[in-house]
């Protein structure tokens, strides 16, 4: 029997790299969609070279998506590609909407045209809840996004549901709450903290500038969350699921733990800088993953404390390896 084929958009990102690893372990043939670039960044998947096939395409270009599906005939498609940095969405709202929102429609339309039997996963986000009407948030919580990124993800979420209902496609949205790892981009606050704290410990920096320290999030480990993505596409019927730990912590909590792990007092180094405050803030996101636990049998394996320590230790090693000390 031939191995299952899966197409991952956004394979060069944090989630894409972990998902590719998981699918390879399960015997899949993995195809990764990458955009043509003068300076490609394949650092997160460098260790997978020779094990995965990379193909050129773009969520802005429908023809490339149709051609890739025709040529490679995947049974599963995981759409992880997006302009995924919330702060950047305020300065690039139209681009964010084109990629993170309408890009989902282009991909769904290509699937409908080429092979309606494909099972499709859409990376939704807790940012769709934004100014949440209830705590914790679950699959039925009303949406109130507070950024162009959140609005675009809300569109992607609903168009995925629409294609499921209108065309009977197997489409799922995973409403993933914040999930981190040593592979997180440096622009995200968690990695900014772990990397910044490591630099201070090694004498490479004297302070760390952050925005809203009171903002609370539900943080889990990315390696756990990609397992939930795969589980969603193995069910008899397509459904949407919240994926979260059910525990919330503030940015201050994250910083305090990171610095404490290094034997430092965060208050001696962290500076609140107004330039990092959002025009519209999302104050409190925490998820209720009861449905995922019951239906998928999914649960997180890495605690908040272990996640922070993992990231700090990885950044210490990275900085030393880069020869910056």
């Amino acid at each position: 029997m031939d191995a299952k084929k899966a197409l991952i958009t956004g394979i060069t990102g944090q989630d894409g790299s972990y998902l590719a690893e998981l699918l390879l372990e399960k015997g899949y043939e993995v195809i990764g969609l990458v955009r043509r670039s003068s300076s490609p960044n394949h650092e997160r998947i460098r260790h997978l070279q020779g094990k995965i096939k990379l193909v050129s395409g773009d969520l802005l270009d429908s023809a490339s998506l149709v051609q890739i599906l025709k040529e490679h005939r995947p049974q599963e498609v995981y759409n992880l590609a997006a302009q995924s940095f919330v702060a950047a969405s305020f300065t690039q709202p139209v681009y964010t909407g084109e990629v993170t929102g309408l890009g989902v429609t282009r991909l769904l339309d290509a699937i409908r045209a080429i092979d309606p039997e494909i099972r499709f996963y859409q990376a939704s986000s807790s940012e769709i809840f934004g100014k949440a009407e209830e705590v914790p948030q679950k699959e039925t919580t009303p949406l109130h996004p507070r950024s162009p990124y959140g609005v675009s993800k809300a569109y992607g979420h609903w168009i995925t549901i629409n294609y499921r209902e209108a065309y009977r496609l197997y489409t799922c949205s995973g409403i993933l709450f914040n999930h981190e790892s040593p592979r997180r981009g440096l622009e995200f606050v968690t990695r900014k903290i772990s990397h910044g704290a490591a630099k201070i410990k090694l004498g490479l920096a004297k302070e760390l500038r952050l925005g809203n320290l009171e903002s609370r999030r539900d943080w889990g480990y990315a390696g756990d969350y990609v397992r939930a993505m795969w589980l969603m596409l193995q069910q008899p019927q397509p459904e949407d699921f919240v994926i979260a730990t059910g525990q919330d912590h503030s940015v201050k909590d994250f910083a305090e733990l990171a610095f404490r792990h290094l034997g430092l007092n965060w208050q001696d180094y962290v500076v609140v800088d107004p330039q990092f405050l959002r025009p519209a803030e999302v104050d409190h996101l925490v998820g209720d993953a009861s449905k995922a636990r019951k239906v998928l049998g999914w649960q997180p394996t890495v605690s908040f404390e272990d996640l922070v320590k993992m990231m700090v230790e990885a950044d210490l090693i990275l900085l030393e390896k880069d020869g910056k000390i």
Side-chain angles (χ1 to χ4, degrees), residues 161-182:
I161 293 172
N162 180 250
Y163 271 61
R164 181 168 73 220
E165 295 177 349
Y167 304 116
R168 301 294 184 264
L169 299 184
Y170 191 111
T171 65
C172 299
S173 273
I175 310 170
L176 272 57
F177 280 65
N178 294 61
H179 46 289
E180 319 297 322
S181 76

Side-chain angles (χ1 to χ4, degrees), residues 15 79 82-86 100 121-130 137-138 141-147 149-158 173-179 184 188 217 225 241-243 278 282 285:
D15 292 7
N79 183 37
Q83 189 302 98
S84 59
F85 188 38
V86 174
T100 309
Y121 171 84
Q122 166 61 14
S124 198
S125 165
S126 59
E127 290 286 331
I128 64 177
F129 297 126
Q137 294 90 46
K138 50 185 180 290
T141 300
L143 311 188
H144 190 153
R146 296 268 283 171
S147 66
Y149 169 77
V151 172
S152 301
K153 278 293 187 183
Y155 174 89
H157 179 78
W158 278 112
S173 273
I175 310 170
L176 272 57
F177 280 65
N178 294 61
H179 46 289
R184 192 55 139 157
F188 291 88
R217 292 292 186 274
Y225 285 43
F241 293 88
V242 162
I243 304 299
R278 298 180 186 177
V282 174
L285 294 177

Side-chain angles (χ1 to χ4, degrees), residues 1 41 93 111 117 127 162 167 206 226 259:
M1 184 176 176
N41 180 12
I111 288 171
E117 296 303 310
E127 290 286 331
N162 180 250
Y167 304 116
K206 294 183 178 179
V226 298
F259 278 89

Side-chain angles (χ1 to χ4, degrees), residues 94-142:
V94 175
Y95 175 73
T96 300
E98 283 284 355
V99 176
T100 309
L102 287 174
V104 186
T105 311
R106 295 186 187 97
L107 189 49
L108 285 168
D109 241 12
I111 288 171
R112 187 165 71 94
I114 302 305
D115 183 2
E117 296 303 310
I118 288 173
R119 295 192 168 200
F120 175 80
Y121 171 84
Q122 166 61 14
S124 198
S125 165
S126 59
E127 290 286 331
I128 64 177
F129 297 126
K131 192 175 181 180
E133 293 186 17
E134 60 183 2
V135 178
Q137 294 90 46
K138 50 185 180 290
E139 291 81 6
T140 56
T141 300

Side-chain angles (χ1 to χ4, degrees), residues 130-132 146 212 214-217 281-285:
K131 192 175 181 180
R146 296 268 283 171
N212 182 7
E214 303 306 323
S215 183
R216 301 188 71 86
R217 292 292 186 274
E281 187 57 75
V282 174
D283 295 315
H284 192 193
L285 294 177

Side-chain angles (χ1 to χ4, degrees), residues 38-312:
S38 58
S39 55
N41 180 12
H42 295 172
E43 187 61 38
R44 295 183 182 93
I45 55 171
R46 196 173 303 282
H47 63 296
L48 300 177
Q49 283 183 345
K51 299 178 182 178
I52 59 177
K53 183 177 183 64
L54 299 181
V55 295
S56 292
D58 200 313
L59 290 187
L60 299 178
D61 179 35
S62 296
S64 69
L65 303 177
V66 168
Q67 182 56 39
I68 289 166
L69 294 179
K70 268 186 182 177
E71 183 177 346
H72 297 282
R73 297 288 175 171
Q75 286 90 37
E76 297 174 1
V77 171
Y78 297 84
N79 183 37
L80 311 185
Q83 189 302 98
S84 59
F85 188 38
V86 174
S89 77
F90 283 102
T91 56
Q92 297 181 299
V94 175
Y95 175 73
T96 300
E98 283 284 355
V99 176
T100 309
L102 287 174
V104 186
T105 311
R106 295 186 187 97
L107 189 49
L108 285 168
D109 241 12
I111 288 171
R112 187 165 71 94
I114 302 305
D115 183 2
E117 296 303 310
I118 288 173
R119 295 192 168 200
F120 175 80
Y121 171 84
Q122 166 61 14
S124 198
S125 165
S126 59
E127 290 286 331
I128 64 177
F129 297 126
K131 192 175 181 180
E133 293 186 17
E134 60 183 2
V135 178
Q137 294 90 46
K138 50 185 180 290
E139 291 81 6
T140 56
T141 300
L143 311 188
H144 190 153
R146 296 268 283 171
S147 66
Y149 169 77
V151 172
S152 301
K153 278 293 187 183
Y155 174 89
H157 179 78
W158 278 112
I159 201 69
T160 299
I161 293 172
N162 180 250
Y163 271 61
R164 181 168 73 220
E165 295 177 349
Y167 304 116
R168 301 294 184 264
L169 299 184
Y170 191 111
T171 65
C172 299
S173 273
I175 310 170
L176 272 57
F177 280 65
N178 294 61
H179 46 289
E180 319 297 322
S181 76
R183 299 179 195 175
R184 192 55 139 157
L186 284 167
E187 67 273 24
F188 291 88
V189 69
T190 50
R191 183 75 194 290
K192 186 177 179 181
I193 292 171
S194 66
H195 192 261
K199 285 178 72 175
I200 289 170
K201 179 65 175 180
L202 296 173
L204 299 173
K206 294 183 178 179
E207 67 177 21
L208 174 62
R209 292 183 170 267
L210 299 173
N212 182 7
L213 299 181
E214 303 306 323
S215 183
R216 301 188 71 86
R217 292 292 186 274
D218 183 329
W219 278 299
Y221 172 53
D224 284 337
Y225 285 43
V226 298
R227 185 163 35 88
M229 299 176 187
W230 176 78
L231 285 168
M232 286 182 213
L233 296 197
Q234 313 314 310
Q235 304 307 306
Q237 299 297 325
E239 296 183 65
D240 305 321
F241 293 88
V242 162
I243 304 299
T245 70
Q247 299 179 0
D248 61 310
H249 300 273
S250 67
V251 173
K252 182 167 66 177
D253 293 338
F254 199 106
E256 183 177 7
L257 193 54
F259 278 89
R260 190 196 313 152
H261 183 62
L262 296 171
L264 302 172
N265 182 354
W266 71 276
Q267 292 173 307
D268 294 336
Y269 304 99
V270 172
V271 177
V272 174
D273 189 332
Q275 73 166 311
F276 297 120
L277 299 176
R278 298 180 186 177
E281 187 57 75
V282 174
D283 295 315
H284 192 193
L285 294 177
V286 57
D288 177 359
S290 300
K291 181 181 175 184
R293 291 172 189 265
K294 181 179 179 181
V295 177
L296 304 178
W298 177 88
Q299 59 183 4
T301 65
V302 177
S303 70
F304 175 71
E305 292 76 12
D306 287 342
L307 174 64
V308 177
K309 292 174 184 176
M310 176 200 303
M311 293 176 67
V312 170

